[in-house]
Amino acid sequence: MRKYKAVPIEKEVIDEVYCNVCGKKIEKVSPNQFEDYLHIEKLWGYHSKNDGKKDEIDVCQACYEKWINSFKISV
């Protein structure tokens, strides 16, 4: 026979987000949700100068608009 008990589980939650381009804080709209923003994760692989490196960036909407408007080929 097995007897179980409930145990609290700790997990990491995002507390604050800042734009990597302008440094602006991305505002929370509810306890677990932020204003919309772009999050990019890249794990570099073989044949790159950054092999094994993981990069993460967050970009606010204003900086995203400026960034994509600078593209030679539009999104």
Side-chain angles (χ1 to χ4, degrees):
M1 179 171 125
R2 296 180 182 177
K3 291 185 178 182
Y4 296 89
K5 68 177 181 176
V7 294
I9 299 174
E10 278 192 41
K11 68 177 189 173
E12 286 188 340
V13 294
I14 302 169
D15 186 42
E16 295 180 328
V17 180
Y18 292 87
C19 176
N20 285 88
V21 180
C22 68
K24 174 188 153 201
K25 184 176 181 178
I26 310 291
E27 295 299 322
K28 270 189 179 180
V29 293
S30 68
N32 295 318
Q33 192 172 6
F34 294 85
E35 287 180 349
D36 208 5
Y37 63 96
L38 175 67
H39 177 77
I40 302 171
E41 290 182 29
K42 172 63 178 166
L43 179 58
W44 295 94
Y46 299 117
H47 310 296
S48 78
K49 294 177 183 175
N50 297 310
D51 186 16
K53 181 181 176 190
K54 181 180 180 183
D55 288 329
E56 292 186 56
I57 64 169
D58 298 305
V59 181
C60 71
Q61 292 181 59
C63 290
Y64 171 78
E65 290 296 325
K66 290 177 193 171
W67 184 38
I68 65 168
N69 288 332
S70 73
F71 292 179
K72 290 187 185 225
I73 301 172
S74 64
V75 293

